Amino acid sequence: SLSTFVYYILPIYLSVSLFMLGGKRAFPVHSRGERGAPCGELKKEKGIHRLEAMLFALDLINKDPDLLPNVTLGARILDTCSRDTYALEQSLTFVQALIERDSTDVRCASGEQPIFAKPDKIIGVIGAAASSVSIMVANILRLFKIPQISYASTAPELSDNTRYDFFSRVVPPDSYQAQAMLDIVTAMGWNYVSTLASEGNYGESGVEAFVQISRETGGVCIAQSLKIPREPRPGEFDKIILRLLETPNARAVVMFANEDDIRRVLDAAKRNNQTGHFLWVGSDSWGSKISPVVQQESVAEGAITILPKRASIEAFDRYFKSRSLSNNRRNVWFAEFWEENFGCKLGMHGKRPGSPKKCTGLEKVGRDSTYEQEGKVQFVMDAVYAMAHALHRMHRDLCLGYPGLCPRMSNIDGKELLGYIRNNNSDVVCHQMNAMQWASGDASVPASVCSLPCQTGERKKVVKGVPCCWHCERCEGYHYQASEFTCQLCPYEQRPDQNRTGCQPIPIIKLEWYSPWAVAPVFIAILGILATTFVVVTFVRHNDTPIVRASGREMSYLLLTGIFLCYVITFPMIAAPGLAVCSFRRIFLGLGMCFSYAALLTKTNRIHRIFEQGKRSVAAPRFISPTSQLVIIFSLISVQLMGVFVWFVADPPHTVVDYGEQRTQDPENARGVLKCDISDLSLICSLGYSILLMVTCTVYAIKTRGVPETFNEAKPIGFTMYTTCIIWLAFIPIFFGTAQSAERMYIQTATLTVSLSLSASVSLGMLYMPKVYIIILHPEQNVPKRKRSFKAIVTAATMTNKLSQLASERPNGEVKTELCESVDNSSEYRHLLYHAHC
């Protein structure tokens, strides 16, 4: 290319036009015609401005004594009417001088040889503007080796030097535009856009370059790629707008379209009430042109268009403003421009029929009408000057100071001239960004994205094949957002933070003293401790009274110790877990029950053995002395202590934090439970031995239920054991049935401690409260009885059993008669019977 350009952004509303310039050249003075007509409306800026720019450049070159001295450049200008096929027909006139005509078959009426007007020989072509026209013209010109310089054709295809070897341009290709437009889209944060192209090389290749670069770069997805037909049918542009609305999130529309198509697209958007919806990004075909947005400025507001950096030529402004009907007759379209520009009519043959205003010819451009230099004026002049400088260097090298055209340049070799053109070089590097203004009036950039950014704690689930579109999925449960696209599970002892962007430790809880689950067990335990202490104090103060002595002082104190321990265990069970607390729990959890039921088992076993022995012999059974009883009790207790010792050695006590117990569905409610490392199995083993003693004691209580209460405590013990069994039968389903409950720690601790306290309370109430009642309130009954022999006690018990059986089988009279007969012979038996009934 002849120049290096950097694009800059124009938040204005302009369009592009098409020109062919050169020694002979063609311009799109008129727009494309409709309904078969080759030409349509006059293009004031794109047509006339560019045409005048070439004429102005030629004037400057021809007046410059240092550039092509004694050589005058001329131009043949043709109207392409913005149609590539029409332009191709016009361009054939450029090569007519190079085509030899066969005149052998042509004769004049007089018989003389015809004289053909020889057309001007074209040495180069300036143009065209539209890439589609340049491609067609280039294919013709390369056959005749005519160099071509375009000031506006930007299709990347034209960079193929093997196919378009005589084509040059002073503007960068569309690949540069596409990259610039992609940079704009990316800078605006738009990652979901549609593309719109006019059918033809310019539009299609531009969009293709944009799509290709966006695909390679990534980050921008194409929602739709639509094409505007060369010959659009009625309603075609409305259909395009409706198609664009099928992807409403893709508000940004990248356009590679000609000026006429841009104007009709904006008009269709306005008709469909879409003002402010679309965010237009236009190529240099829109650039800084005004014509596409005339009377539809609101729908174009906020559009971003790009244009190769250009400088406004002040000399051209002065030149153009000085043009009038009288001094610009060389431009055959200037009269039509005059009518269009000033809205008047020139005589009867004017081009504006029905115009009420007549032109005076005194109107002045820029005074009586608006004026702004068209965006490609500079490039038109650059192209003309590029051709002129190439010819100048060629003249200098070939003519060696010869004034005017020397013989060697009478027939210019196009390939040689192309070499001089390609050696020309000039750089223009600049870029500019103006303040953006959006249709909404808001300073923030409007969005054009397929999917809105996910909130914190949400991951992107990308739609297959469309990397810019995704669904936002919240990281659920104990997952947190590890990256933009992934959720990961927090470590077991942690939970997601409030934003789910990381993990935080799960709060650790324990049973607090002020908890309702702790208050009730502690209250019961305190009452039990006070009651037990009262009983012990009472027994100690009346240690030598008959009731205390008859209860078996040693075993009673052991039993009361066990009851006391059952109440005391409530406190380490509720206290904050630690090494000492966990050790106390292991030791005393089953020890209190073991003390209690070992003593009761020994006592019921003694009673059972005494009366079973009495049925066979009058000799007392072995091991019924207090010392023997104590040895038996401590032997039973030692088994429990030995098990606890083994437990300590195999698994030393320690605390753990159980994160599974209260691992709820909602991580916000998750808690870690600080607890002693006592599993349910360990708990069963610790209590299992005591429960075994309890069951065995219950069996002996059942066996001794028939012994008179005058001689033993079998019946109170029986009632105690029955009640205790009921308590622990209720404990098992409550304790183990709540294993999956979120309140497990509270329920199980409360159930266990209350069960232990209730068991102790039953033993205390049924075995000792009646004795304390007599000791305190009826001391007259706490007197010694007549001492009886072992034989007398057993005989009385045996006879009482017999009487009970007879009472269930005989009438009352018969029982009494038989009873009297059976006791007449023994006054001692009568005395024992009395005591039995009492």
Side-chain angles (χ1 to χ4, degrees):
S1 63
L2 298 179
S3 304
T4 303
F5 291 88
V6 177
Y7 283 98
Y8 73 103
I9 305 169
L10 290 174
I12 345 175
Y13 322 106
L14 300 175
S15 70
V16 171
S17 61
L18 165 65
F19 287 101
M20 233 186 194
L21 303 175
K24 300 270 186 171
R25 58 188 179 169
F27 286 92
V29 179
H30 292 85
S31 62
R32 185 169 51 200
E34 298 181 359
R35 297 183 179 87
C39 299
E41 297 177 352
L42 179 77
K43 292 188 173 184
K44 295 193 299 181
E45 294 89 6
K46 191 174 180 180
I48 300 300
H49 281 212
R50 294 181 183 181
L51 187 154
E52 290 293 339
M54 181 173 185
L55 296 177
F56 176 63
L58 290 174
D59 290 343
L60 294 178
I61 292 169
N62 290 331
K63 293 176 183 178
D64 190 343
D66 298 323
L67 184 60
L68 289 174
N70 299 317
V71 176
T72 302
L73 292 181
R76 184 178 183 186
I77 302 175
L78 302 175
D79 185 3
T80 65
C81 293
S82 305
R83 189 186 296 271
D84 51 3
T85 54
Y86 187 73
L88 181 61
E89 296 175 7
Q90 297 285 61
S91 66
L92 291 176
T93 61
F94 293 161
V95 298
Q96 287 179 357
L98 302 177
I99 301 175
E100 295 183 0
R101 297 192 178 185
D102 184 8
S103 60
T104 55
D105 295 333
V106 180
R107 291 290 186 271
C108 295
S110 61
E112 297 179 356
Q113 287 282 19
I115 300 174
F116 292 96
K118 189 174 182 180
D120 297 326
K121 186 177 180 181
I122 303 300
I123 61 170
V125 172
I126 304 298
S131 297
S132 57
V133 176
S134 289
I135 288 173
M136 283 194 174
V137 173
N139 286 320
I140 295 295
L141 298 180
R142 70 186 298 268
L143 298 177
F144 298 93
K145 297 182 180 180
I146 300 177
Q148 175 187 1
I149 302 177
S150 173
Y151 56 86
S153 296
T154 55
E157 182 181 353
L158 290 165
S159 297
D160 186 355
N161 200 45
T162 60
R163 295 178 56 191
Y164 308 103
D165 46 345
F166 280 82
F167 176 83
S168 303
R169 53 185 164 192
V170 294
V171 288
D174 285 336
S175 56
Y176 290 19
Q177 286 198 74
Q179 181 64 61
M181 296 170 83
L182 181 63
D183 292 342
I184 293 169
V185 167
T186 304
M188 294 296 149
W190 301 334
N191 65 7
Y192 196 51
V193 302
S194 296
T195 62
L196 186 59
S198 292
E199 186 176 3
N201 295 87
Y202 172 76
E204 294 179 43
S205 61
V207 165
E208 183 181 352
F210 180 85
V211 172
Q212 180 65 26
I213 295 173
S214 64
R215 186 180 295 117
E216 293 173 356
T217 305
V220 175
C221 298
I222 309 302
Q224 295 188 75
S225 287
L226 305 182
K227 187 187 300 183
I228 302 172
R230 291 180 187 271
E231 303 293 339
R233 299 177 181 176
E236 187 71 35
F237 290 92
D238 292 323
K239 292 180 181 178
I240 289 173
I241 295 298
L242 295 177
R243 285 282 305 278
L244 291 173
L245 290 174
E246 291 177 2
T247 51
N249 288 343
R251 295 179 59 191
V253 180
V254 176
M255 300 179 67
F256 279 86
N258 60 56
E259 177 184 348
D260 300 329
D261 288 342
I262 293 170
R263 184 176 64 253
R264 287 183 279 189
V265 166
L266 296 178
D267 184 52
K270 185 177 181 180
R271 277 198 309 272
N272 287 273
N273 297 319
Q274 296 303 318
T275 298
H277 174 76
F278 293 110
L279 307 170
W280 310 106
V281 181
S283 63
D284 64 340
S285 59
W286 186 340
S288 57
K289 308 298 184 299
I290 297 175
S291 56
V293 299
V294 172
Q295 297 182 352
Q296 46 199 24
E297 291 82 358
S298 59
V299 75
E301 185 177 4
I304 301 174
T305 64
I306 67 172
L307 191 67
K309 173 58 183 173
R310 59 173 178 81
S312 180
I313 311 298
E314 294 183 4
F316 176 78
D317 291 339
R318 292 192 298 269
Y319 162 81
F320 194 82
K321 290 179 180 179
S322 67
R323 297 297 88 188
S324 65
L325 294 173
S326 59
N327 64 12
N328 198 25
R329 297 185 181 276
R330 62 181 177 178
N331 185 345
V332 297
W333 296 285
F334 196 72
E336 186 177 355
F337 164 79
W338 197 267
E339 290 183 326
E340 186 72 24
N341 190 54
F342 296 109
C344 60
K345 180 179 179 182
L346 289 171
M348 297 178 57
H349 303 290
K351 299 290 185 178
R352 292 177 59 88
S355 177
K357 179 182 176 182
K358 289 188 178 182
C359 300
T360 63
L362 300 178
E363 294 87 359
K364 189 173 181 61
V365 175
R367 185 192 66 186
D368 301 319
S369 66
T370 58
Y371 167 79
E372 183 178 354
Q373 189 177 122
E374 198 272 334
K376 291 292 197 310
V377 165
Q378 174 199 342
F379 302 116
V380 173
M381 296 182 66
D382 286 343
V384 176
Y385 267 91
M387 186 70 74
H389 280 288
L391 289 170
H392 179 77
R393 289 193 300 274
M394 188 178 186
H395 181 271
R396 183 188 58 196
D397 294 341
L398 297 182
C399 295
L400 301 175
Y402 185 89
L405 287 178
C406 63
R408 289 192 61 185
M409 288 189 67
S410 58
N411 290 304
I412 294 178
D413 183 358
K415 190 169 185 179
E416 190 175 5
L417 176 59
L418 179 64
Y420 285 98
I421 292 174
R422 295 289 171 83
N423 287 329
N424 188 21
N425 185 33
S426 62
D427 292 334
V428 180
V429 181
C430 180
H431 49 306
Q432 168 186 341
M433 179 75 147
N434 291 341
M436 307 302 299
Q437 179 178 344
W438 308 106
S440 61
D442 192 350
S444 60
V445 179
S448 180
V449 294
C450 180
S451 302
L452 294 175
C454 293
Q455 298 179 357
T456 55
E458 296 180 341
R459 74 177 185 95
K460 292 180 180 178
K461 185 177 181 181
V462 179
V463 177
K464 187 175 181 180
V466 189
C468 301
C469 298
W470 57 79
H471 302 294
C472 294
E473 290 187 349
R474 183 165 178 78
C475 297
E476 296 292 346
Y478 290 82
H479 291 79
Y480 71 99
Q481 183 185 359
S483 68
E484 188 178 7
F485 302 98
T486 59
C487 294
Q488 288 186 2
L489 185 66
C490 286
Y492 191 69
E493 69 279 2
Q494 295 183 350
R495 67 181 183 182
D497 57 24
Q498 188 172 6
N499 295 327
R500 290 188 174 270
T501 54
C503 297
Q504 61 184 4
I506 294 176
I508 299 175
I509 61 170
K510 57 184 178 59
L511 184 58
E512 302 292 347
W513 292 105
Y514 53 79
S515 170
W517 296 99
V519 171
V522 168
F523 179 73
I524 295 173
I526 291 174
L527 292 180
I529 290 172
L530 293 176
T532 305
T533 303
F534 177 74
V535 171
V536 171
V537 170
T538 302
F539 266 50
V540 170
R541 292 184 60 185
H542 301 84
N543 191 53
D544 294 326
T545 60
I547 288 181
V548 176
R549 297 179 64 186
S551 299
R553 287 175 292 186
E554 296 81 0
M555 285 194 293
S556 291
Y557 289 132
L558 285 176
L559 180 56
L560 288 169
T561 300
I563 293 172
F564 183 82
L565 291 177
C566 287
Y567 288 124
V568 169
I569 191 61
T570 296
F571 298 94
M573 291 299 294
I574 294 176
L579 180 61
V581 170
C582 292
S583 300
F584 276 114
R585 287 187 186 182
R586 290 193 180 188
I587 295 171
F588 294 107
L589 181 60
L591 190 60
M593 291 179 63
C594 185
F595 264 83
S596 299
Y597 299 124
L600 288 176
L601 174 61
T602 302
K603 182 176 286 192
T604 54
N605 174 265
R606 177 175 178 270
I607 295 172
H608 175 72
R609 288 189 295 113
I610 287 175
F611 285 98
E612 286 297 317
Q613 179 70 18
K615 295 178 182 179
R616 298 189 296 269
S617 171
V618 294
R622 294 183 301 173
F623 308 122
I624 61 173
S625 66
T627 303
S628 300
Q629 297 297 296
L630 290 176
V631 171
I632 294 172
I633 291 173
F634 282 112
S635 298
L636 294 173
I637 294 174
S638 65
V639 175
Q640 174 75 15
L641 294 175
M642 183 61 67
V644 172
F645 175 76
V646 172
W647 189 9
F648 266 73
V649 173
D651 183 17
H654 60 281
T655 60
V656 295
V657 179
D658 187 350
Y659 293 99
E661 183 171 318
Q662 293 197 22
R663 195 174 182 85
T664 57
Q665 293 286 342
D666 185 2
E668 286 294 319
N669 299 326
R671 298 291 185 271
V673 180
L674 179 63
K675 60 198 302 187
C676 293
D677 188 25
I678 302 177
S679 63
D680 290 347
L681 179 61
S682 300
L683 180 67
I684 293 173
C685 294
S686 179
L687 295 176
Y689 179 67
S690 299
I691 293 175
L692 177 63
L693 295 178
M694 180 186 70
V695 173
T696 307
C697 184
T698 304
V699 172
Y700 277 108
I702 294 173
K703 289 183 177 182
T704 59
R705 68 184 183 280
V707 177
E709 65 273 13
T710 306
F711 305 104
N712 59 79
E713 297 175 307
K715 288 185 178 180
I717 292 174
F719 289 134
T720 299
M721 300 317 299
Y722 305 152
T723 306
T724 303
C725 287
I726 293 173
I727 291 172
W728 286 97
L729 285 174
F731 162 80
I732 292 174
I734 296 174
F735 186 89
F736 294 100
T738 58
Q740 303 302 322
S741 172
E743 305 291 329
R744 172 186 174 184
M745 174 184 67
Y746 306 107
I747 297 175
Q748 290 187 343
T749 302
T751 302
L752 178 59
T753 53
V754 169
S755 297
L756 288 169
S757 296
L758 290 179
S759 300
S761 299
V762 169
S763 299
L764 186 66
M766 291 190 174
L767 297 179
Y768 291 102
M769 285 305 173
K771 295 180 175 60
V772 172
Y773 174 77
I774 292 175
I775 292 172
I776 301 298
L777 299 179
H778 296 282
E780 71 278 2
Q781 297 182 14
N782 189 11
V783 294
K785 303 282 195 252
R786 181 171 62 88
K787 189 172 182 179
R788 298 182 293 278
S789 67
F790 174 75
K791 178 179 179 181
I793 294 173
V794 172
T795 302
T798 304
M799 293 184 66
T800 302
N801 288 339
K802 183 175 181 182
L803 288 175
S804 299
Q805 294 174 0
L806 290 173
S808 62
E809 297 175 0
R810 306 288 182 85
N812 292 337
E814 296 180 7
V815 174
K816 291 178 180 179
T817 303
E818 188 173 334
L819 179 62
C820 292
E821 292 176 354
S822 64
V823 299
D824 280 343
N825 299 325
S826 177
S827 60
E828 183 178 5
Y829 280 99
R830 286 198 299 271
H831 181 73
L832 291 174
L833 182 62
Y834 168 78
H835 282 288
H837 283 292
C838 292

